[in-house]
Amino acid sequence: MSARKASDTLMPWGGLIGGTLGAGLAHQLGADATFQDCTVGSPLIVAIGTIAGLALVGAGALASWRIYAADGETPARRTVALVSLMAAALFALAVVIPFLAALIIPRCWA
């Protein structure tokens, strides 16, 4: 399977793939910075994780949007792309809410 064919096959799933990776990255950076060693963690580390996570979520959503908005796509691929777009929105919410909590709740519950 060529890289072009693999890319075309995975495009509708972009929102799910990118969203999962982005939310996982943001969660791991935020959780490690906040709870693993709270003397090292700071809102800056959580902000960097949030930006990186949202970038991955956005890239996946863009891939799904390109399939959903294309005229020549089959209904099945458009449906998968739409579900992926909705999932990407939920993943973005899952990335932003812990970031807000990291800004509001004091580090190490000081």
Side-chain angles (χ1 to χ4, degrees):
M1 178 182 279
S2 69
R4 176 84 173 150
K5 182 161 173 60
S7 172
D8 187 52
T9 302
L10 291 176
M11 285 283 278
W13 298 94
L16 288 169
I17 295 168
T20 302
L21 293 174
L25 174 72
H27 178 268
Q28 279 306 115
L29 285 176
D32 287 347
T34 306
F35 298 110
Q36 192 73 3
D37 186 5
C38 65
T39 59
V40 176
S42 72
L44 178 64
I45 294 171
V46 178
I48 291 170
T50 299
I51 292 168
L54 285 176
L56 285 170
V57 172
L62 180 63
S64 291
W65 176 256
R66 288 178 58 194
I67 297 298
Y68 179 72
D71 290 332
E73 291 296 334
T74 64
R77 284 174 53 93
R78 288 176 52 93
T79 301
V80 170
L82 181 61
V83 170
S84 291
L85 280 168
M86 291 186 283
L90 290 175
F91 283 124
L93 191 63
V95 170
V96 170
I97 288 176
F99 172 68
L100 295 175
L103 295 178
I104 295 169
I105 299 171
R107 188 171 65 194
C108 298
W109 299 285

